[in-house]
């Protein structure tokens, strides 16, 4: 049964509330833990038991951090890393060009610097070299180094690792194949012989665990290692930017990392926050939409190592220069992406978006922005999406998934079946290379595999809501309690509440295409809806002073103008 009977909202969506079992659990949590019902409903949707609620609302890293030794190859990885440190061997860090790769590299470089040891940073060019280790780069690094540590890559790169001519350690999280490369160690929670219990970690999380083990071994030798808690800002940034599920230890890593970031101790993140015009304490939105895209911009359309250099530098003047360069590249990236996104959206709509997969491909589309365009298609159609740039008969693409659909496994299988030149990734994101004449059969096979996982069954019409709120009940204190159930992000969406049967007191256009509302009968609340003024939603609300509406969205604290007040970030509405 639809929530409040809304089968078709002003945006054409069906509203879906908690199940009967979740409703009963919410009542039990509210009574058993003396929590406001809206908070209890958020916990119930997450599947939190009554006795688990206090720990969930205050997750402690010491309680949730797994023993690093539960991961295969952790012992040889930590031993080889510390051997290189002890004997002052030459270390190279080979990293992916995204935020997770850059943050992973920065963790190692910062840790080694604190121990008085340097490392060579190498990040491949996205266009000239592509993702992951390649034979020429590994051979060149192997000639001048004793150890290469591959972070956020390497699990599927057998030949380049064999060609290195020196020891290689892989710290990765991408889905592994049936065999492992000839490295000293491959630490990866998504190896096929792992349990998968830590499969939600991003690469920076894996690197962090290796450093935890390294510190433990140093303590056993009477040596004090670097303060790892101060490095959690890098782990938090990578976890959110890589769309890793905010569950289990990831919640604790991100929560503590945001606290560390708020202290403004890391020059690179200070400079990046300032150039991003962050006006409040860092949160997951800032990591995912302000900082992350700028760190990524270098790898997408500029010099691939800019992001990692920014995150690892201990010089504020250098950080300021790097942050400004990345900010400019991000502006250029947005312009390129907008053109690709528009073409991809039109192509996907023409092809039809009712199936299990939405995809688009175009000649000359910049490979640095196809991932962002795929994310936009995924958001628009609520289906796994692939966007591919074609050049000289070869397509290079990126894919993004929806919760509950393992995209990386499906892409890996299509590659194994010979329909792709190569492909892999993790549950929520993947990359692929395909011959242009194999494009249609490859996408058809991928769609088939995704359909078997249930992709496309829910449909974009469903809007999940957590319950009802009244304007007088939406207080800053309640918002703070709801936020304690966070951080919110992948696999842990921010709660969405409905203000039922509301009168629109005022509606006006702000900015280019945004809608500002004031609603309520007695107590009144403001709402903002971005980019909807000329949409059916915006037109109905801006001309609906005589009617009454159910309003759905996320409650938040607005700090604009230096004042704190509760506002609704409006996402949908229905006539009452």
């Amino acid at each position: 049964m639809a929530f409040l009977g809304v089968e078709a909202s002003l945006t054409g969506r069906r509203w879906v509330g908690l199940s009967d079992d979740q409703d009963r659990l919410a009542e039990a949590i509210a009574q058993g833990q003396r929590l406001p019902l809206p908070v209890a409903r958020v916990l119930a949707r997450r599947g939190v038991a009554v006795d688990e609620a206090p720990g969930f609302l205050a997750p402690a890293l010491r309680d949730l951090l797994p023993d690093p030794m539960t991961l295969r190859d952790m012992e040889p990885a930590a031993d080889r890393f510390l051997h290189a440190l002890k004997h002052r061997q030459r270390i190279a860090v080979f990293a992916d060009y995204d935020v997770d790769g850059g943050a992973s590299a920065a963790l190692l470089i910062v840790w080694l610097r604190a121990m008085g040891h340097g490392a060579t940073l190498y990040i491949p060019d996205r266009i000239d070299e592509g993702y992951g280790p390649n034979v020429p780069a590994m051979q060149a690094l192997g000639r001048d180094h004793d150890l290469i540590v591959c972070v956020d890559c390497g699990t599927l790169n057998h030949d380049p690792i064999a060609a290195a001519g020196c020891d290689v350690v892989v710290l990765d999280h991408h889905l592994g194949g049936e065999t492992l490369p000839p490295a000293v160690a491959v630490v990866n929670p998504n190896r096929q012989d792992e349990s998968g219990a830590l499969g939600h970690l991003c690469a920076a999380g894996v690197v962090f665990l290796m450093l935890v083990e390294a510190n433990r071994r140093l303590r056993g030798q009477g040596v004090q290692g670097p303060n790892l808690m101060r490095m959690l800002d890098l782990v938090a940034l990578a976890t959110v930017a890589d769309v890793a599920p905010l569950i289990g230890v990831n919640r604790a890593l991100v929560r503590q990392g945001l606290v560390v970031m708020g202290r403004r101790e890391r020059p690179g993140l200070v400079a990046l926050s300032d150039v991003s015009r962050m006006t409040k304490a860092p949160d997951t939105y800032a990591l995912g939409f302000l900082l992350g895209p700028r760190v990524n911009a270098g790898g997408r359309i500029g010099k691939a190592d800019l992001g990692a250099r920014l995150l690892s530098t201990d010089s504020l003047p250098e950080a300021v220069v790097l942050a400004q360069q990345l900010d400019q590249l991000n502006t250029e990236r947005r312009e390129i992406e907008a053109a690709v996104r528009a073409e991809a959206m039109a192509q996907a709509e023409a092809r039809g978006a009712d199936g299990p997969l939405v995809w688009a491909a175009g000649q000359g589309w910049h490979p640095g922005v196809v991932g962002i365009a795929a994310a936009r298609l995924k958001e628009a159609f609520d289906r796994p999406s692939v966007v591919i740039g074609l050049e000289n008969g070869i397509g290079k693409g990126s894919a993004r998934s929806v919760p509950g659909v393992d995209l990386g496994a499906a892409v890996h299988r299509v590659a194994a079946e010979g329909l792709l030149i190569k492909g892999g990734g993790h549950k929520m994101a993947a990359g692929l290379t395909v011959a242009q004449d194999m494009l249609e059969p490859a996408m058809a096979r991928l769609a088939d595999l995704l359909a078997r996982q249930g992709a496309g069954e829910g449909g974009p019409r469903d809007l999940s809501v957590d319950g009802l709120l009244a304007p007088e009940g939406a207080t800053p204190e309640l918002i703070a309690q709801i936020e304690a159930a966070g951080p919110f992000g992948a696999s842990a969406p921010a709660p969405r509440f409905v203000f039922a049967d509301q009168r629109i007191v005022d509606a006006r256009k702000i900015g280019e295409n945004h809608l500002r509302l004031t609603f309520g009968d007695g107590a009144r609340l403001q709402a903002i809806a971005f980019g909807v003024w000329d949409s059916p939603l915006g037109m109905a609300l801006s001309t609906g002073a005589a009617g009454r509406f159910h309003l759905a969205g996320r409650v938040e604290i607005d700090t604009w103008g230096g004042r704190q007040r509760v506002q609704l970030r409006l996402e949908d509405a229905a006539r009452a």
Side-chain angles (χ1 to χ4, degrees):
M1 182 176 177
F3 190 83
L4 292 180
V6 177
E7 294 286 353
S9 69
L10 292 174
T11 63
R13 290 184 282 188
R14 176 176 179 263
W15 291 3
V16 180
L18 272 61
S19 67
D20 291 341
D21 287 344
Q22 289 172 328
D23 270 328
R24 285 190 288 270
L25 176 57
E27 293 285 353
I29 293 173
Q31 294 174 13
Q33 298 295 341
R34 296 185 178 181
L35 289 171
L37 186 57
V39 178
R41 293 179 69 85
V42 174
L43 298 181
R45 186 180 284 280
R46 301 283 189 272
V48 178
V50 176
D51 60 346
E52 295 173 342
F56 189 88
L57 292 172
L61 188 56
R62 64 178 176 274
D63 297 331
L64 294 171
L65 192 70
D67 182 350
M69 290 297 290
T70 60
L71 288 172
R72 294 180 184 273
D73 276 4
M74 181 60 79
E75 184 172 9
D79 282 347
R80 184 63 186 89
F81 184 68
L82 290 176
H83 178 83
L85 174 69
K86 180 179 179 179
H87 294 280
R88 316 304 294 175
Q89 291 184 329
R90 299 162 300 173
I91 301 174
V93 179
F94 192 111
D96 187 17
Y97 34 60
D98 67 358
V99 177
D100 194 15
S104 297
L107 282 167
L108 293 177
I109 292 169
V110 170
W111 191 95
L112 287 167
R113 183 191 298 134
M115 296 298 293
H117 197 79
T120 301
L121 172 67
Y122 188 92
I123 297 182
D125 183 89
R126 180 187 292 263
I127 296 176
D128 294 339
E129 297 176 82
Y131 167 78
N134 59 80
V135 170
M138 293 295 281
Q139 287 179 332
L141 288 173
R143 284 192 292 268
D144 298 325
H145 297 85
D146 305 292
L147 173 66
I148 302 174
V149 184
C150 294
V151 293
D152 199 25
C153 60
T155 300
L156 297 176
N157 302 102
H158 296 64
D159 292 342
I161 288 175
C166 73
D167 285 346
V168 178
V169 168
V170 173
L171 305 175
D172 194 11
H173 73 129
H174 292 92
L175 188 66
E178 294 182 2
T179 61
L180 295 172
V184 171
V186 179
V187 184
N188 184 338
N190 290 304
R191 281 171 47 158
Q192 290 198 11
D193 56 352
E194 283 282 7
S195 68
L198 296 176
H200 54 282
L201 289 174
C202 67
V206 176
V207 172
F208 183 78
L209 286 183
M210 196 277 287
L211 294 178
V212 169
E213 181 60 26
N215 272 15
R216 181 160 63 185
R217 289 168 184 258
L218 287 176
R219 282 197 303 273
Q221 302 167 14
V223 178
Q224 182 65 42
N227 184 340
L228 294 179
M229 295 298 286
R230 294 179 64 182
M231 301 183 190
L232 285 175
D233 51 353
L234 294 172
V235 182
L237 175 63
T239 300
V240 173
D242 215 53
V243 203
L246 296 187
I247 59 176
V249 68
N250 280 354
R251 286 189 67 237
L253 290 170
V254 172
R255 279 177 69 128
Q256 186 59 39
L258 288 170
V259 173
V260 173
M261 193 178 297
R263 298 176 189 149
R264 291 174 61 88
E265 295 176 347
R266 190 169 309 285
L269 289 178
V270 169
L272 198 63
S273 298
D274 291 346
V275 81
S276 304
R277 294 167 288 281
M278 280 176 53
T279 58
K280 61 179 183 178
D283 55 16
T284 53
Y285 174 83
L287 270 56
F289 295 95
L290 297 179
L291 305 184
R294 287 171 169 82
V295 175
N296 264 335
R300 293 193 184 281
I301 64 169
K303 199 168 184 300
D305 66 355
L306 288 177
R309 286 169 54 199
L310 174 78
L311 297 178
S312 59
T313 184
D314 58 358
S315 164
L316 184 57
E318 180 186 20
V320 169
V321 172
L322 291 170
Q324 290 172 344
Q325 290 176 354
L326 286 168
D327 187 54
Q328 177 59 38
L329 286 170
N330 192 53
T331 299
E332 296 172 17
R333 184 272 307 168
R334 279 198 295 261
E335 295 171 356
I336 297 170
E337 181 234 324
V340 172
R341 183 183 65 215
E343 291 184 48
M345 193 75 70
Q347 189 181 127
E349 289 174 342
R351 181 175 288 112
D354 296 329
L357 174 69
V358 175
W359 67 276
Q363 290 289 341
W365 289 357
H366 197 296
V369 302
V370 292
I372 306 173
R376 300 296 180 263
L377 290 189
K378 183 261 296 184
E379 292 163 3
F381 299 109
D382 195 32
R383 279 153 171 73
S385 301
V386 182
V387 176
I388 299 166
L390 301 168
E391 190 166 347
N392 299 323
I394 299 294
K396 294 183 178 180
S398 286
R400 297 293 183 269
S401 192
V402 295
V405 178
D406 190 340
L407 180 62
V411 168
H412 183 74
R413 181 167 175 180
V414 176
E417 293 174 355
L419 294 171
L420 300 176
I421 296 172
K422 63 178 180 179
H426 48 82
K427 289 184 178 180
M428 297 300 293
L432 57 87
T433 303
V434 59
Q436 187 169 348
D437 58 1
M438 294 297 291
L439 186 57
E440 293 281 351
M443 292 301 101
R445 178 58 174 152
L446 182 59
D448 175 55
L449 292 173
L450 295 174
R452 297 182 190 184
Q453 296 188 47
E457 290 181 357
R461 295 182 60 249
D462 289 347
L463 184 78
S464 297
V465 296
D466 291 273
L468 293 171
L469 277 181
E472 60 270 19
T475 63
E477 293 76 20
L478 177 65
I479 306 305
Q481 288 181 289
I482 291 173
E483 288 295 323
F488 304 117
S491 298
R496 187 182 289 116
F497 291 96
V498 174
F499 293 82
D501 194 20
Q502 298 296 315
R503 180 171 69 91
I504 307 299
V505 178
D506 182 59
R508 63 186 63 188
K509 181 180 181 180
I510 61 171
E512 290 186 6
N513 196 35
H514 313 314
L515 172 67
R516 168 75 76 183
L517 290 179
T518 302
F519 65 90
D521 291 303
R524 293 179 178 178
L525 205 63
Q526 283 199 338
I528 185 160
F530 293 102
V532 305
W533 178 259
D534 57 3
S535 71
L537 175 63
M539 288 187 283
L541 293 175
S542 62
T543 59
R548 299 183 72 86
F549 296 87
H550 305 313
L551 306 174
R554 309 178 193 276
V555 285
E556 60 186 11
I557 301 295
D558 176 27
T559 58
W560 190 83
R563 289 174 27 186
Q564 283 199 345
R565 59 187 175 190
V566 177
Q567 76 169 5
L568 173 67
R569 186 172 291 224
L570 183 71
E571 297 178 67
D572 201 1
R575 295 190 183 278

